[in-house]
Amino acid sequence: MAADIAFLASDELRGRFTLSPDLRVAAEFLAARYQELGLVPVGPAFAVEFPLTTGARATRAPGVAVTRGGKARPLPAGSFAPVAQSASGTAAGPLVFVGYAARSEVAAVHEDGPPDPAGPAYDDLAGVDLQGKVALVLLEVPGRPDPMKLYTRLRDLGDRFNAEAAPLKAAGDADRLRALHAGTRGKMVEMLSAFVPAERLAGVWPLPEDPRTVEFELGAVAKALMAEAAKLPGPQFGFGEGALRTKVERLTKAGAVGVILVRGPRSFLTAEERAADELPTLDGLKLGEALPVPVVQVQWKTADALLGAGKQTVSKLQARIDADRRPRSGPVAGVTAEISVALDPVTAPVPNVLASLPGTDLAQEVVMIGAHYDHIGKAGEGEGECNAVRKGEVVDEICNGADDNASGTAMVLELARAWKQRPPPRRTIVFTHFAGEEMGILGSKALAEAPPFDLKRVVAMINLDMVGRLGPKGLAIGGLGSSDAWLPLLDEVGTAGLDILYEGSVATRSDHASFYRKDIPVLFFFTGTHADYHRPGDTADKINLPGMLAIGEIVGGVMLRLGDGRAVPWKPPGPGGGLAAGLPGSDPKTIVKRVKAG
Ligand SMILES: [Zn+2]
């Protein structure tokens, strides 16, 4: 396992980004290892390719035309752009302003006064007729910027601070550390002032008593910030509420035939971004399925013109909604809009790698064990998820992904190797390595949609994603709610001396979810996130190999029993059970049990 991780997480493989040639090198390495071990491909080759949508191509120039007072006027090119996920076609109808198309069930947590009555605390679409209409909708949610942008900016701010603080700490220069902290904190408060009043930010990242111990810890800062934001009066909006897909699906369900997006001037983090008001491009890397209707984004100054040339503006409407958190939706009198979009998807073939260990008397039944082998690449790839880190003179710009997920990949390989030393299993075991996980579990999704064998033959799927950093948090095993047989089976296998959290729900964030959605019982092994998660510091030298051996003992115990024909009947998700956005252990209601070592 150490050797495999060292290779997969080496700088030569540059972080195994799915759309890079480096992923192919990793796929060929896996295929060669299985060849050498004497396993067989499931189809013609170990690599099973799937088409990954990487963008879209316009087959005709897009258009938006606005009719007011009987006069049709096309929007100038450059003031709007189709989103890459847009449906193709033409949509026309009266224009309706729908605010953020947001909804909140969570009433305000008023610091003084009684809690709000039950019922939606906020709904931009309440009482709005959208049947056959074109919706003009703000991106994000009331009073909040793009959360990913905010996260990236905070991370950049923190990285710069920590790099500049390091030499001052080494020199014990408390005065300059104090000044550096004040400067960085000032920038943070300024960036956030449009969303959370400065006086509420006093408790976010305070200077410690001894300035020489000051540290910008992104997780802690983000947590403190979210806690402050949650205390603001008015309805609360969930993390996914601002997502483009959520909005468009809600609008379409209400009858809208086309959608015009706009980022309101208050939603930008800086004045430069507000002035630039960048439009989306067609080479988005996280496309997913096409949206149900044509969708374009316009610049906010253009949207102002759509609303009635001066009288009503997006700026004013957004400011009013944000100020008192009350919707301001309604038809734009006398205005109809026509959107026309024609896009073709652009795809690239990407390899999942599958190797089979054929069973004996139960060979028709399949047990899958899998791990994703892709990662986020180097700085500049994968929509900038990997951010370079400066260590003195050296800039590290490769996210090696040793824990995520060279660790799971190596453990799957090792289980295959170990099994070849033993009698063959009764059921067929398929060792599976997914690509495209970091782009939205795309490899497993594609495999579950178009498997090289009948999915009805699959009795269970075991997923290993980040099993290399066993620490004080112990091991988490998720997915126990997918079969009543899991807990007794795991109890029988034992704990290998580890602290273990047994989680009932099925986390949506890794590849097992694609199979759970096909009614296949799943388990998910995971040692938790850490400070090096999705950063250049996730390197092979930090892998806990003895920890991996102990985890491997448990996974191996599970696999031997499954290989030997153990029944794991599918359990349909009950109310409140099933898939969960959070990681194992995040919701006390779905924890099955915790076992402490010793
Ligand atoms: Zn992962």
Side-chain angles (χ1 to χ4, degrees), residues 372 374-375 403-405 437-438 464-466 509-511 524 526 533-534:
H372 74 88
D374 69 306
H375 193 50
D403 180 32
D404 189 10
N405 182 30
E437 193 271 352
E438 303 285 9
L464 313 179
D465 189 358
M466 298 172 68
R509 276 170 56 179
S510 189
D511 295 302
F524 167 37
F526 176 59
Y533 174 70
H534 282 200

Side-chain angles (χ1 to χ4, degrees), residues 10-89:
S10 64
D11 280 357
E12 283 68 41
L13 265 75
R14 289 185 289 258
R16 311 181 304 282
F17 179 54
T18 286
L19 295 173
S20 75
D22 312 309
L23 185 89
R24 295 245 157 221
V25 176
E28 278 157 25
F29 166 79
L30 293 171
R33 293 278 276 112
Y34 284 113
Q35 182 82 47
E36 184 187 291
L37 289 172
L39 271 72
V40 293
V42 174
F46 287 111
V48 177
E49 312 259 351
F50 67 95
L52 191 150
T53 305
T54 56
R57 187 180 19 224
T59 53
R60 185 161 37 76
V64 179
V66 180
T67 307
R68 176 182 284 119
K71 259 190 283 175
R73 197 173 52 89
L75 293 188
S79 66
F80 70 96
V83 301
Q85 303 94 319
S86 169
S88 287

Side-chain angles (χ1 to χ4, degrees), residues 237-259:
F237 296 92
F239 195 75
E241 191 64 23
L244 169 63
R245 190 168 293 275
T246 311
K247 287 176 197 279
V248 174
E249 278 168 2
R250 184 173 292 155
L251 290 166
T252 322
K253 228 173 126 192
V257 293
V259 176

Side-chain angles (χ1 to χ4, degrees), residues 492-515:
E492 191 183 308
V493 169
T495 65
L498 304 181
D499 288 349
I500 302 185
L501 168 91
Y502 297 85
E503 165 69 49
S505 71
V506 178
T508 53
R509 276 170 56 179
S510 189
D511 295 302
H512 52 270
S514 301
F515 297 92

